[in-house]
């Protein structure tokens, strides 16, 4: 499974990434963590990044793209990874597309954690308090002043990625204001509905197509139904599986409606798996 977690500072990307790592046995690739390690170690990258990070700015694209490209090649990332804090700009997203293509890897989804900005300062202050309570050093950029700057850079440089991935039918939005537990459950449910948690061999046998522009609404329909049936050990079309898939579609569709984007094409898997007669009947109904 290969995922991107998208959201402003304090939206819970790191927390959710850790939970996904535990559940799915994949690695979390946090550019922020890698850069902080480089700063602490005083490497050339760290020296370049130190002041930029302390001021809440963005480290140059070529540096972070290089770090990520190398990290993806390491053996522990073979099973899959969650990108946390990367990409942060459209050029970084384009570079990621390019490098994944070169490495013959596919991105499963981009999960956006949507939060109210007013809650972010409280969250970041809480995080600083918890870090202090553990006797650890608080991040230099977890101050109200720097957070304001980081939020501004999120809005101007990172938010355009929502449109970028929505156009590529990769975007799924989750309400990040729910409890940590709820958000985790919601992300896992969506991933199951997408078939992203299936073994890769099974996915290769029945690939889902998410091409063209529009929302994930219809694009997730078929994988949702099939994956939900699989996850529950029920056959396709049982009531249990259908209810689960319907729930998953509802979530995705809500997010799609909120974005106000158009409809997507039916997946190849849906068309390929359904008998021709049924397909005609359904089409006739529409
Ligand atoms: P984070 O831990 O993700 O909040 O990142 C902390 C800081 O590291 C950011 O405020 C940036 O200065 C820098 N940083 C992390 N990831 C990136 C990235 N993808 N592009 C540019 N700068 C980054």
């Amino acid at each position: 499974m290969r995922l991107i977690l998208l959201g402003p500072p304090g939206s819970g990307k790191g927390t959710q990434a850790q939970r996904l790592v535990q559940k799915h046995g994949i690695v979390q690739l946090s550019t922020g963590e890698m850069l902080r390690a480089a700063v602490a170690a005083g490497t050339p990258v760290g020296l370049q990044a130190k002041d930029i990070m302390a001021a809440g700015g963005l480290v140059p694209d070529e540096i972070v793209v290089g770090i990520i490209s190398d990290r993806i090649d390491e053996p522990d990332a073979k099973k899959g990874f969650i990108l946390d804090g990367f990409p942060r700009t459209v050029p970084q997203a384009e570079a990621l597309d390019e490098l994944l293509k070169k490495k013959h890897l596919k991105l499963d989804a981009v999960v956006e954690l949507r939060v109210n900005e007013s809650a972010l300062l409280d969250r970041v202050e809480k995080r600083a308090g918890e870090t202090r309570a553990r006797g650890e050093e608080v991040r230099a950029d977890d101050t109200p002043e720097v957070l304001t700057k980081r939020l501004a850079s999120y809005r101007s440089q990172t938010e355009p990625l929502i449109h970028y991935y929505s156009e590529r039918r990769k975007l799924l939005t989750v309400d990040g204001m729910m409890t940590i537990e709820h958000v985790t459950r919601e992300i896992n449910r969506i991933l199951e509905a997408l078939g992203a948690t299936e073994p890769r061999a099974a996915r290769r046998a029945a690939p889902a197509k998410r091409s063209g522009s529009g929302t994930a609404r219809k694009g997730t329909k078929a994988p949702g139904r099939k994956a939900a049936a699989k996850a529950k050990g029920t056959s396709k079309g049982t009531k249990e599986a259908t209810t689960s898939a319907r729930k998953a579609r509802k979530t995705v569709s809500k997010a799609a409606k909120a974005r106000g984007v158009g409809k997507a094409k039916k997946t190849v898997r849906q068309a390929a798996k359904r008998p021709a007669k049924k397909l005609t009947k359904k089409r006739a109904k529409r």
Side-chain angles (χ1 to χ4, degrees):
M1 188 201 308
R2 294 179 205 92
L3 287 183
I4 293 176
L5 280 182
L6 201 60
S11 59
K13 297 188 297 295
T15 307
Q16 293 303 329
Q18 280 166 18
R19 293 177 145 232
L20 289 166
V21 161
Q22 275 171 14
K23 185 171 164 72
H24 302 287
I26 52 180
V27 288
Q28 172 189 7
L29 306 185
S30 156
T31 38
E33 288 292 333
M34 293 180 217
L35 289 166
R36 278 188 287 279
V39 171
T43 65
V45 164
L47 292 176
Q48 243 181 301
K50 190 177 179 190
D51 292 343
I52 302 172
M53 290 173 75
L58 287 188
V59 173
D61 290 341
E62 58 277 15
I63 292 184
V64 281
V65 171
I67 292 178
I68 282 291
S69 178
D70 292 346
R71 187 63 186 85
I72 285 176
D73 291 338
E74 286 180 29
D76 63 347
K78 289 281 173 275
K79 208 175 155 198
F81 51 77
I82 303 165
L83 295 176
D84 159 16
F86 178 90
R88 249 177 162 100
T89 64
V90 171
Q92 286 181 20
E94 287 166 347
L96 176 66
D97 282 348
E98 201 50 45
L99 71 87
L100 288 179
K101 202 168 140 196
K102 269 195 204 142
K103 295 178 200 288
H104 306 290
L105 299 173
K106 186 187 141 276
L107 190 65
D108 289 297
V110 178
V111 177
E112 178 206 359
L113 297 179
R114 192 173 288 188
V115 288
N116 298 340
E117 263 197 24
S118 54
L120 295 178
L121 182 59
D122 283 350
R123 283 190 178 193
V124 169
E125 275 176 349
K126 194 171 160 223
R127 174 162 77 192
E130 285 166 355
T131 308
R132 250 182 247 114
R134 286 196 302 271
E136 293 167 17
E137 203 179 321
V138 176
R139 281 171 54 169
D141 57 354
D142 265 356
T143 64
E145 301 73 35
V146 182
L147 179 69
T148 308
K149 182 119 191 274
R150 288 162 68 203
L151 274 176
S153 97
Y154 179 81
R155 256 182 254 117
S156 64
Q157 291 178 275
T158 312
E159 246 176 24
L161 293 180
I162 291 171
H163 178 67
Y164 182 90
Y165 287 116
S166 162
E167 269 199 325
R168 284 156 182 78
R169 304 192 54 233
K170 293 283 181 197
L171 189 78
L172 299 160
T173 300
V174 169
D175 177 4
M177 296 307 291
M178 299 186 292
T179 62
I180 292 174
E181 195 55 52
H182 252 91
V183 174
T184 309
R185 236 182 287 147
E186 193 64 13
I187 295 175
N188 281 322
R189 198 157 61 85
I190 289 176
L191 293 179
E192 262 177 33
L194 281 176
T197 54
E198 283 177 322
R200 297 207 65 75
R203 267 193 288 158
R204 263 198 299 275
K209 190 184 174 192
R210 285 197 287 173
S211 60
S213 64
T215 77
R217 185 183 177 184
K218 282 205 166 182
T220 56
K221 197 171 178 178
R225 189 178 298 144
K226 193 170 171 241
K230 267 197 166 189
K232 291 194 174 283
T234 54
S235 62
K236 190 165 74 174
T238 63
K239 194 179 168 196
E240 206 177 0
T242 315
T243 311
S244 199
R246 200 180 299 132
K247 274 188 195 165
R249 283 202 299 279
K250 234 177 171 180
T251 313
V252 178
S253 119
K254 261 191 209 164
K257 267 187 194 159
R259 300 221 160 287
V261 280
K263 289 181 182 174
K265 284 178 193 167
K266 192 193 300 287
T267 69
V268 163
R269 183 155 63 171
Q270 188 180 17
K273 287 278 167 185
R274 194 178 293 154
K277 209 174 152 193
K278 261 189 180 172
L279 196 67
T280 320
K281 262 191 189 171
K282 284 226 166 179
R283 275 201 185 131
K285 268 188 199 168
R286 266 183 226 143

